[in-house]
Amino acid sequence: MMKKLLILTLCAGLFTATTELRAQDISKTAIENEQAPITISVSESTVHIKNADKKIVSIFNLTGVEVKRISIDSPSKTIDLSFLPKGCYIIKIGNVARKVYLR
């Protein structure tokens, strides 16, 4: 009888610890998802990026070739792309992708 009680107590303790861990994981995920959305805007040949701190920016031409890769080290970043020929490009930051036209 004592062994059964000990096993039930241990199982209940494990269940409680697992439940608490899952609740903590859910709250961390909620906090991570509350970040401001990444914004990408273009003016002539300058790209303005906001809310992408510690992310990688990849710029692709329309054939899918990566023409530039930049690490972002601040919440707001301005990138001059005047070295690229005028035309359409795809800018990808994390899971956000935008098609832009450089003039």
Side-chain angles (χ1 to χ4, degrees), residues 74-86:
S74 63
S76 180
K77 180 84 170 179
T78 301
I79 302 169
D80 180 27
L81 298 177
S82 61
F83 66 92
L84 292 173
K86 294 178 184 178

Side-chain angles (χ1 to χ4, degrees), residues 29-79:
T29 303
I31 290 170
E32 289 171 1
N33 289 337
E34 290 178 10
Q35 294 175 352
I38 295 171
T39 59
I40 302 168
S41 60
V42 180
S43 174
E44 298 291 325
S45 62
T46 305
V47 176
H48 304 281
I49 300 169
K50 292 183 182 175
N51 303 320
D53 194 20
K54 306 216 184 334
K55 302 251 185 210
I56 301 290
V57 177
S58 297
I59 301 170
F60 300 91
N61 62 18
L62 289 183
T63 61
V65 176
E66 186 177 63
V67 294
K68 184 76 173 172
R69 178 176 276 224
I70 302 163
S71 294
I72 298 185
D73 53 1
S74 63
S76 180
K77 180 84 170 179
T78 301
I79 302 169

Side-chain angles (χ1 to χ4, degrees), residues 1 3 12-15 18 26 28 35 81 87 91-92 99:
M1 180 72 170
K3 285 184 181 180
L14 287 174
F15 177 74
T18 304
I26 290 170
K28 284 181 184 177
Q35 294 175 352
L81 298 177
I91 298 177
K92 184 174 185 266
K99 183 173 71 172

